[in-house]
Amino acid sequence: MSHPHQQSRQIISAILQSRPAIERVYFVGCGGSLTGFYPAKYFLDCEAKKLAVGYITSNEFVHATPQALGENSLVILASQQGNTPETVEAARVARAKGAATVGLTFAPASPLCEHSDEVIEYRWARYPETVNPAQQKAAYGLWLALELLQQTEGYAHYEAMVSAFEQFEEVVREGQRKVEEDAQRFAQAYKDDKVIYMMGSGPSFGAAHQQSICILLEMQWINSASVHSGEYFHGPFEITEEGTPFVLLQSEGRTRALDDRAIRFIRQYGGKLQLIDARELGINALPETVRDYFCGLFHTALLDVYNLALSQARHHPLTTRRYMWKVEY
């Protein structure tokens, strides 16, 4: 397997050489495969000056295909097994419109690959198994975003991002070690809750949304909603009372103030708060100019520790399903 940096650079170079220009990039997937692209979307939203960015669930991309989609577009799609019907169809639609397509999958020679100009086979494992987090799906999304920006517009902190990726595995492993004991406490404190609200902002909102829909709702059958820290005071805070369960992913960087404000309110009014603070858990080992772009990846890796502990405390394995892959839908 090629190094993610080299592979991403080569893929973007090949795409740019094959067409006049790339003016738009769309990140497309379902569930965790879509939310895994959130760090890449956030990075380009913040740093790109000309490149237009889309972030669309696969079936909406198929049924409400953007009019701007065409030969100046790049569509980056992901599917764990490469056979998610909506995502495979989205890739087909993208190519039919003349767009370049990159498919990310854990399963080579899958249907998604048939409709992808370029394919990335990422690595995946469930904690406590170890896989370099810089070679996982969400990281590849960020690698591709970095290369696309660098090769189309240039990026002043390109080398700092590359350096941060090289440090990232060590930072993640240290963070996971730090939270092991807290994860056990969390599991005992939250295992009987009927609803858990996920919160986050900036680069970590995608991780909060993923935790809500893919872990709490899908894998643990716990009612959940994801609330952006900046939106909390515009409706959702009305449900806050003594004992209301929240998990807040506190990022490091420009949106930290949004998290701080929500934390103060939740504590003031007696909410039950599990805080996972990227700053306290080691993200500051990465270069200051780019560390906030890694918060989402970092939080997802730390949540793996909490999720294992919670599933064990509830005697509800993360592989348990009621409907998924079992009935027609």
Side-chain angles (χ1 to χ4, degrees), residues 48 50 59 106 134 137 141 238 241 317:
K50 298 180 180 178
N59 219 17
F106 184 65
K137 175 172 52 184
E238 286 293 343
E241 58 185 359

Side-chain angles (χ1 to χ4, degrees), residues 242-280:
E242 190 72 30
T244 304
F246 295 94
V247 176
L248 193 148
L249 309 180
Q250 187 168 24
S251 61
E252 172 68 329
R254 290 164 289 183
T255 69
R256 187 177 176 90
L258 282 65
D259 299 331
D260 285 337
R261 183 185 177 199
I263 290 166
R264 288 193 297 269
F265 190 92
I266 292 169
R267 286 175 170 165
Q268 180 179 355
Y269 289 96
K272 179 180 176 182
L273 177 63
Q274 170 66 48
L275 186 62
I276 304 178
D277 185 348
R279 174 187 290 177
E280 296 299 322

Side-chain angles (χ1 to χ4, degrees), residues 69-311:
L69 182 69
E71 67 173 6
N72 292 331
S73 303
L74 168 61
V75 181
I76 302 175
L77 312 98
S79 169
Q80 181 88 333
Q81 296 300 325
N83 60 0
T84 307
E86 299 93 331
T87 304
V88 173
E89 179 63 9
R92 189 198 66 77
V93 168
R95 287 185 98 182
K97 292 286 188 179
T101 53
V102 178
L104 279 65
T105 182
F106 184 65
S110 58
L112 178 62
C113 301
E114 298 174 15
H115 299 286
S116 299
D117 299 318
E118 303 283 349
V119 175
I120 291 175
E121 182 185 345
Y122 58 80
R123 301 185 67 190
W124 178 82
R126 193 182 298 283
Y127 179 86
E129 294 180 61
T130 57
V131 167
N132 186 342
Q135 294 179 318
Q136 295 193 46
K137 175 172 52 184
Y140 265 111
L142 188 56
W143 274 116
L144 290 167
L146 173 64
E147 280 302 320
L148 181 61
L149 183 64
Q150 173 68 3
Q151 294 187 38
T152 56
E153 299 183 18
Y155 178 47
H157 304 300
Y158 177 78
E159 294 300 334
M161 283 283 282
V162 173
S163 175
F165 268 117
E166 296 302 325
Q167 297 174 252
F168 191 54
E169 182 174 18
E170 181 180 349
V171 171
V172 165
R173 300 294 171 236
E174 180 60 25
Q176 288 177 327
R177 285 192 291 270
K178 286 180 179 179
V179 301
E180 283 178 350
E181 185 176 336
D182 188 52
Q184 295 299 321
R185 182 205 58 76
F186 162 80
Q188 292 304 315
Y190 281 70
K191 64 183 178 65
D192 297 320
D193 285 316
K194 303 303 181 186
V195 60
I196 298 174
Y197 296 101
M198 291 300 307
M199 294 184 65
S201 69
S204 290
F205 180 67
H209 185 57
Q210 178 172 298
Q211 177 72 9
S212 180
I213 66 170
C214 295
I215 305 298
L216 298 177
L217 288 167
E218 176 188 333
M219 300 185 188
Q220 289 299 290
W221 304 351
I222 296 172
N223 290 321
S224 182
S226 50
V227 179
H228 193 286
S229 300
E231 288 292 289
Y232 174 63
F233 294 99
H234 303 277
F237 73 148
E238 286 293 343
I239 54 89
T240 307
E241 58 185 359
E242 190 72 30
T244 304
F246 295 94
V247 176
L248 193 148
L249 309 180
Q250 187 168 24
S251 61
E252 172 68 329
R254 290 164 289 183
T255 69
R256 187 177 176 90
L258 282 65
D259 299 331
D260 285 337
R261 183 185 177 199
I263 290 166
R264 288 193 297 269
F265 190 92
I266 292 169
R267 286 175 170 165
Q268 180 179 355
Y269 289 96
K272 179 180 176 182
L273 177 63
Q274 170 66 48
L275 186 62
I276 304 178
D277 185 348
R279 174 187 290 177
E280 296 299 322
L281 294 170
I283 198 74
N284 284 7
L286 302 181
E288 182 177 3
T289 52
V290 299
R291 66 175 60 128
D292 56 336
Y293 296 128
F294 288 83
C295 286
L297 304 180
F298 187 56
H299 274 129
T300 297
L302 298 186
L303 281 167
D304 284 348
V305 186
Y306 288 88
N307 294 336
L308 178 61
L310 182 63
S311 68

Side-chain angles (χ1 to χ4, degrees), residues 27-96:
F27 295 101
V28 178
C30 299
S33 289
L34 177 61
T35 57
F37 285 139
Y38 199 88
K41 165 199 154 24
Y42 181 81
F43 167 72
L44 289 177
D45 279 343
C46 289
E47 298 292 349
K49 297 175 182 177
K50 298 180 180 178
L51 192 68
V53 184
Y55 173 86
I56 310 174
T57 192
S58 298
N59 219 17
E60 184 166 315
F61 185 85
V62 170
H63 288 275
T65 308
Q67 286 295 322
L69 182 69
E71 67 173 6
N72 292 331
S73 303
L74 168 61
V75 181
I76 302 175
L77 312 98
S79 169
Q80 181 88 333
Q81 296 300 325
N83 60 0
T84 307
E86 299 93 331
T87 304
V88 173
E89 179 63 9
R92 189 198 66 77
V93 168
R95 287 185 98 182

